[in-house]
Amino acid sequence: MLDIGVIGRLKFATAFMAMSLLLVPAAEAQEQPVWHYGLSLVDDLKYPPGFKKFDYVNPEAPKGGDLRLSQTGTFDTFNPLLVKGETAVGLDFVFDTLMKPSEDEISTAYGLLAEGVSFPDDISSATFRLRQEAKWADGKPVTPEDVVFSFDKAKELNPLYQSYYRHVVKAEKTGDRDVTFHFDDKNNHELPHILGQIRIVPKHWWEGTGPDGKPRDISRTTLEPVMGSGPYRIASFAPGGTIRYERRPDYWGVALNVNVGQNNFDSITYSFFGDREVEFEAFRSGNTDYWRENQAMRWATAFDFPAVKDGRVKREEIPNPFRATAVMQAMVPNMRRKPFDDERVRQALNYALDFEELNRTIFYNQYQRVNSFFFATELASSGLPEGKELKNLNEVKDLVPPEVFTTPYSNPVGGTPQKARENLRKAIELLNKAGFELNGNRMVNTETGKPFSFEIMLSSPSFERVALPYAQNLKRIGIEARVRTVDPSQYTNRKRAFDYDVTWEVWGQSLSPGNEQADYWGSAA
């Protein structure tokens, strides 16, 4: 892994649980389940039963207006569960989930479609009770059958959900408004929480017929505007170009405490761009209303246009106040292919990256190099393992590299010609041990004589500013690295098929690592 990331500013999480309970009469406590109106995986719930609104919203915020946003890439399907195709951004506006996260707490959610969730002491199952008032856009109630259908299809059609919910073995209707999920893993505090994140889709709509008179098929991509239970609907779109979402005046949950003060725009329109530079020009010219910057050079040099000077565009640097999410950003070799399955080769590639020089020349010294998969959080690695961490590692000592116990991890440090040469010499030394040698000015396999060359596949030209200087560094030790930027559809298809040598990846890591880890590292996933 070539760690070149920056401190992340995103907010999302999954993890361990502290629960606040709805009060029940003592006489009934042993006979009836305890229903939880909210779940927290880190701390006690901030908001009490019956709270009116989240503290961070303005209940008097005016309604109206059109919010214009932009998106890099394209889309060719509105199917919210399927892994095929390029799914449209913004579908969260259309589909409600069982629970809704709180933005001023870590890994905390309160009932949305579900008014409560209960589970036995050993957490061998979880039962969600749907709100009686929850309805689809066509006025029909949201039912347990819809929840079971959504879960079953998500696991059937999406490998991510197969891994994420692998311990959820069954979903069934257990009451007029109750649906129960059964687990094969007891005392897993994360499972009730992450089940609240599933997008719930209408079974009757997907099993019905479309405008063309043909039966709908949830296993296929579709550009028919899908129906949901959320606050917006798909009003219009141009395939691959724009999507316009309109606020539903008949939304069932408009007065719900988790929705008060939110969903204020009459419409939200996304415009799609194949190039981020062109996308930025659209923002500069006033064609979009909001821009999230991810490039240090542009942040430092490009925000001098008239709208910034006269105050129409306001710049803010917003840190993640909770450090709730670590961002692992890196160039990732495909370990299914030789020679990237050799740890020495991967280490050599890391030595060939001069992060300090990149930080000075193109990042304006605004970045820090990632040195942990949980960078910038309290879970980030530091020093040697000790305490409970050491105890756990000792239990799998035969499966862990010995240097874990003896040598704190650190990335190579460059930034000067001398350090850069030393790092390249170290890279050559590692490659020699892995079966490569310099033959003239080319690094070749000592057995086959085949030159060491590979392709770095990118999804956006903006990543080329790092990949191209890196390729030049590799050339100095005889490795040919070709940088290729492909269109979004090709990138998605090639990545899903593992048809690449090296690509760019960003992973979010939560403060309480859970089921997602099996998807990151498990061979089955």
Side-chain angles (χ1 to χ4, degrees), residues 355-373:
F355 171 81
E356 287 71 25
E357 182 67 9
L358 290 171
N359 201 22
R360 182 183 67 83
T361 56
I362 66 175
F363 295 148
Y364 289 77
N365 290 316
Q366 294 189 42
Y367 287 177
Q368 298 178 43
R369 191 172 189 183
V370 169
N371 59 5
S372 168
F373 290 102

Side-chain angles (χ1 to χ4, degrees), residues 60-82:
E60 304 302 325
K63 304 285 186 180
D66 178 29
L67 176 63
R68 301 169 303 168
L69 301 174
S70 64
Q71 181 75 14
T72 306
T74 185
F75 71 95
D76 57 16
T77 180
F78 293 129
N79 188 328
L81 299 182
L82 200 61

Side-chain angles (χ1 to χ4, degrees), residues 124-429:
S124 56
S125 65
T127 299
F128 290 83
R129 174 160 292 174
L130 298 174
R131 296 184 188 273
Q132 191 165 4
E133 66 270 30
K135 291 182 172 56
W136 299 107
D138 62 1
K140 294 184 178 180
V142 179
T143 67
E145 288 86 354
D146 294 318
V147 179
V148 173
F149 176 81
S150 301
F151 176 78
D152 288 346
K153 291 302 179 181
K155 282 196 71 174
E156 174 189 338
L157 302 172
N158 195 317
L160 171 62
Y161 294 133
Q162 292 170 14
S163 172
Y164 200 49
Y165 297 113
R166 68 192 183 282
H167 290 301
V168 186
V169 295
K170 182 182 179 182
E172 65 172 339
K173 178 181 178 180
T174 51
D176 290 342
R177 292 187 287 127
D178 294 352
V179 58
T180 299
F181 298 90
H182 298 275
F183 312 146
D184 65 4
D185 182 30
K186 294 182 179 180
N187 299 307
N188 186 331
H189 296 272
E190 184 187 34
L191 287 177
H193 183 86
I194 63 175
L195 283 167
Q197 302 168 353
I198 301 172
R199 283 175 175 167
I200 306 303
V201 301
K203 180 183 180 184
H204 69 279
W205 190 88
W206 281 101
E207 292 184 342
T209 56
D212 58 2
K214 297 180 180 179
R216 297 186 179 98
D217 186 352
I218 199 169
S219 68
R220 301 176 64 89
T221 60
T222 181
L223 282 175
E224 179 187 355
V226 289
M227 185 184 74
S229 63
Y232 287 82
R233 67 178 185 89
I234 300 171
S236 61
F237 68 96
T242 60
I243 307 174
R244 185 170 183 267
Y245 296 94
E246 282 186 355
R247 184 159 53 87
R248 290 176 46 211
D250 58 346
Y251 173 48
W252 72 271
V254 65
L256 208 60
N257 53 4
V258 294
N259 288 328
V260 168
Q262 303 181 58
N263 307 314
N264 298 314
F265 292 101
D266 280 347
S267 64
I268 301 172
T269 301
Y270 283 94
S271 298
F272 291 78
F273 296 84
D275 186 292
R276 189 148 171 88
E277 298 299 329
V278 177
E279 185 180 352
F280 180 65
E281 288 305 313
F283 173 72
R284 279 172 53 104
S285 62
N287 290 323
T288 57
D289 299 317
Y290 175 80
W291 178 261
R292 187 172 65 181
E293 186 54 71
N294 66 350
Q295 188 180 123
M297 179 180 292
R298 188 161 48 224
W299 184 253
T301 64
F303 284 81
D304 57 354
F305 48 97
V308 175
K309 295 178 180 178
D310 63 24
R312 285 178 292 134
V313 168
K314 300 183 184 299
R315 294 204 305 169
E316 292 183 347
E317 293 188 19
I318 306 174
N320 178 352
F322 296 112
R323 287 283 175 255
T325 302
V327 174
M328 178 65 209
Q329 182 174 201
M331 281 185 278
V332 182
N334 185 352
M335 292 167 60
R336 297 162 184 79
R337 293 184 175 179
K338 292 183 177 297
F340 306 115
D341 58 343
D342 192 313
E343 182 180 354
R344 295 164 297 187
V345 171
R346 300 196 301 273
Q347 288 177 335
L349 295 177
N350 202 31
Y351 271 97
L353 179 71
D354 193 340
F355 171 81
E356 287 71 25
E357 182 67 9
L358 290 171
N359 201 22
R360 182 183 67 83
T361 56
I362 66 175
F363 295 148
Y364 289 77
N365 290 316
Q366 294 189 42
Y367 287 177
Q368 298 178 43
R369 191 172 189 183
V370 169
N371 59 5
S372 168
F373 290 102
F374 296 89
F375 182 72
T377 73
E378 61 187 85
L379 299 184
S381 63
S382 62
L384 293 176
E386 57 184 16
K388 191 172 183 179
E389 179 185 10
L390 179 60
K391 179 183 177 182
N392 291 338
L393 284 170
N394 278 325
E395 293 177 0
V396 291
K397 197 166 187 176
D398 58 327
L399 303 175
V400 177
E403 56 268 25
V404 169
F405 300 91
T406 61
T407 309
Y409 178 77
S410 63
N411 280 306
V413 177
T416 68
Q418 180 181 357
K419 290 179 179 179
R421 287 193 296 269
E422 290 174 355
N423 287 338
L424 291 177
R425 279 195 290 268
K426 180 65 175 177
I428 293 173
E429 178 184 331

Side-chain angles (χ1 to χ4, degrees), residues 449-460:
K450 183 179 179 181
F452 189 173
S453 65
F454 63 90
E455 179 183 272
I456 302 174
M457 183 182 72
L458 304 176
S459 61
S460 169

